[in-house]
Amino acid sequence: MTYKHSKSLDITKDFILPCRKDELDSIKEFLPIENPDFDGSFSTHQLLYGTQGNRIYLIGLGEEKHNSQLEKTFQKLAFETQKYWNKNIQVYTENLTEDDIKKAVIGLKMAQYAIGEFKSKKEKTNKITVSFTSSKTIKNVLNEGKYTGETINRIKALVDSPPNIKTPEFLGKWAEKSAKDTDYKCSILKHKELKKQGFEAVLSVGKGSVNKPVVIITEYTPKKSKKIDIALVGKGITFDSGGLSIKPSTNLHYMKSDMGGAAVVLGVVELIAKLKLDINIVGIVCSAENAVDAESYRPGDVINSYSGKTIEIIDTDAEGRLVLADGLSYAVKNIEPEYLIDLATLTGSVVRTLGYEAAGMFTHNEEMAKTMSEIGYKVHERVWQLPMFEEYKSDLHSDIADLRNFSGKPLTGATNAAQFLESFTEEHKNWMHLDIAGVSFGSSPYAKMKSASGYGIQLITEFIKSKI
């Protein structure tokens, strides 16, 4: 699907006409809307026919002037009707803002995501040109929407990929190709280098797998200043068996999605480079496979970390915080970013707390929290701040090491995990942890099984843009 700008609408050809509830009466004056149930409600659509037999897709945007889910409206329309489209279709956008138009492009692009990449017979897709009619110049808006939608689809494909293919090394090669194609820098630290530099926690998690861990460092630094504005750290567990604290078999096949945070980090750096934003950003992905083997790390072990702090292992299924600990320490010691954000599918606790509608947000920086929350509502990738009270820190106490990786208590699991990570930030004043376990992967109207959502790309990109 390609996108272009057109100054005028050809009403004799197929077109999509977005409308809000309060615009419906004026539209009825020149279009016969026969279905009494169509009232312009959000994410509904109605097929009409023009005087030349052309198709007119009336699409409801609801009552809000700024619909945070507008892209989902266009995604649903395209997913259900694009097989009937000709090679060309128009979208009338005169009544939409530039942000609305961008969301429409994102939605149309997201509808092109093909989840059946590994099927022997793939569905054929039509090559369609979409013309956005507007009297305004919207080329940059179309490009941003296209790049954003493409990136969302690319990280969804990563998260949905099977773990026998999506190894830590595979993630590294994905990042190297992305860097080459998009003009940013990528370095892959493999086993010998990880050992040399002291990524002991990453190495411990990956000990039980034949697929050795890697740390991926991506850098987009267009500014002359050497100062790094934002560092992102992502959990990249390509498959999580739980290790010796093995998980039950129910839904174990979905543990291929435990690198959702890494996918966001890789995708955001790629998108920032495509958009050529004037900001220096570094992405760090600590990737390992948490498997079971004679060499696996054990409950009761004491391991070292990049920071030099020792960690008592209580549960090998609390492995994500271990790889993130090394990534955060590396960022603080070597990069010294102004803002530091980590993302991870970290705990079931956050899902039990917030369900599937918001990510858990942890930070002591209230300005950061306010900005991220506002952006979350704007792009419908919501976050909700959870507490990090001092009293909870006692749950990390260990008699034989600097701290332990799991409290063993059934309460405050997401907060305990966040405070574990905080121990490796050297009290960075602009640090934030996002637990995206409930929003990165789940049920979808576009797949029969659980699949990737693409959560985080718009949220983090818009946060970065707010800091330019």
Side-chain angles (χ1 to χ4, degrees), residues 20-318:
R20 294 184 172 85
K21 278 192 170 186
D22 59 2
E23 298 168 337
L24 200 56
D25 287 340
S26 61
I27 291 174
K28 286 180 179 179
E29 294 179 7
F30 62 91
L31 279 178
I33 302 175
E34 298 175 356
N35 185 355
D37 294 330
F38 181 79
D39 61 356
S41 296
F42 162 70
S43 204
T44 59
H45 58 265
Q46 172 70 43
L47 173 62
L48 306 173
Y49 290 94
T51 56
Q52 305 298 316
N54 55 311
R55 291 172 174 261
I56 303 170
Y57 297 93
L58 197 59
I59 183 170
L61 303 183
E63 297 177 352
E64 296 180 30
K65 289 297 180 185
H66 302 286
N67 190 337
S68 65
Q69 299 187 72
L70 190 142
E71 72 263 39
K72 293 183 179 177
T73 306
F74 277 84
Q75 182 183 8
K76 182 174 183 288
L77 173 73
F79 185 81
E80 294 179 359
T81 67
Q82 62 185 328
K83 60 186 174 183
Y84 304 114
W85 297 358
N86 294 317
K87 291 182 179 180
N88 299 281
I89 193 163
Q90 306 165 95
V91 182
Y92 182 75
T93 63
E94 202 63 51
N95 59 340
L96 301 181
T97 66
E98 288 192 355
D99 191 57
D100 289 338
I101 296 170
K102 183 179 78 172
K103 286 178 177 293
V105 179
I106 293 171
L108 291 172
K109 198 69 185 176
M110 287 174 67
Q112 307 308 300
Y113 175 59
I115 196 170
E117 179 183 354
F118 295 94
K119 291 187 176 183
S120 58
K121 293 183 179 179
K122 297 178 176 60
E123 292 184 11
K124 293 182 179 179
T125 55
N126 297 328
K127 291 184 178 180
I128 301 168
T129 298
V130 184
S131 301
F132 289 81
T133 62
S134 174
S135 58
K136 297 170 283 193
T137 302
I138 57 172
K139 182 179 178 181
N140 289 340
V141 178
L142 297 183
N143 283 337
E144 183 172 353
K146 173 178 173 263
Y147 292 145
T148 303
E150 281 178 351
T151 301
I152 291 171
N153 288 350
R154 278 169 58 73
I155 73 151
K156 286 172 69 174
L158 262 184
V159 175
D160 286 332
S161 293
N164 60 316
I165 291 173
K166 182 185 55 189
T167 62
E169 184 180 8
F170 178 93
L171 285 188
K173 289 180 178 178
W174 188 100
E176 285 179 324
K177 185 177 187 308
S178 170
K180 183 178 180 181
D181 293 344
T182 319
D183 195 23
Y184 63 88
K185 184 180 177 183
C186 176
S187 305
I188 311 296
L189 306 182
K190 296 185 179 181
H191 193 271
K192 287 185 179 179
E193 189 62 28
L194 295 178
K195 190 71 177 174
K196 180 181 178 181
Q197 293 200 31
F199 284 88
E200 293 296 332
V202 174
L203 288 167
S204 293
V205 172
K207 280 173 67 177
S209 175
V210 67
N211 298 306
K212 297 306 177 187
V214 302
V215 170
I216 305 162
I217 302 170
T218 55
E219 304 171 63
Y220 177 70
T221 54
K223 294 166 66 174
K224 292 181 179 179
S225 169
K226 292 185 178 180
K227 176 71 177 176
I228 299 300
D229 299 300
I230 296 176
L232 303 174
V233 182
K235 171 187 171 183
I237 303 298
T238 56
F239 185 76
D240 183 17
S241 70
L244 291 180
S245 307
I246 197 162
K247 292 177 181 288
S249 61
T250 303
N251 292 329
L252 188 58
H253 56 294
Y254 287 137
M255 288 302 101
K256 64 182 182 179
S257 68
D258 210 16
M259 38 61 68
V264 176
V265 172
L266 293 173
V268 166
V269 175
E270 178 182 275
L271 180 56
I272 296 302
K274 283 183 176 180
L275 297 177
K276 301 186 185 302
L277 298 185
D278 189 31
I279 196 163
N280 288 347
I281 179 172
V282 172
I284 302 166
V285 166
C286 298
S287 183
E289 185 176 68
N290 191 21
V292 179
D293 183 76
E295 295 187 8
S296 295
Y297 72 129
R298 296 157 292 222
D301 283 359
V302 172
I303 67 171
N304 212 325
S305 66
Y306 190 93
S307 69
K309 292 179 180 177
T310 57
I311 305 165
E312 181 183 8
I313 303 302
I314 305 300
D315 191 325
T316 63
D317 195 23

Side-chain angles (χ1 to χ4, degrees), residues 290-358:
N290 191 21
V292 179
D293 183 76
E295 295 187 8
S296 295
Y297 72 129
R298 296 157 292 222
D301 283 359
V302 172
I303 67 171
N304 212 325
S305 66
Y306 190 93
S307 69
K309 292 179 180 177
T310 57
I311 305 165
E312 181 183 8
I313 303 302
I314 305 300
D315 191 325
T316 63
D317 195 23
E319 84 299 327
R321 64 199 70 182
L322 299 177
V323 300
L324 285 174
D326 275 1
L328 288 167
S329 295
Y330 179 89
V332 170
K333 286 188 174 184
N334 299 285
I335 298 171
E336 300 179 351
E338 183 176 356
Y339 292 92
L340 178 60
I341 302 172
D342 73 79
L343 301 100
T345 51
L346 205 60
T347 67
S349 172
V350 81
V351 184
R352 291 189 292 273
T353 303
L354 299 174
Y356 303 100
E357 305 304 329

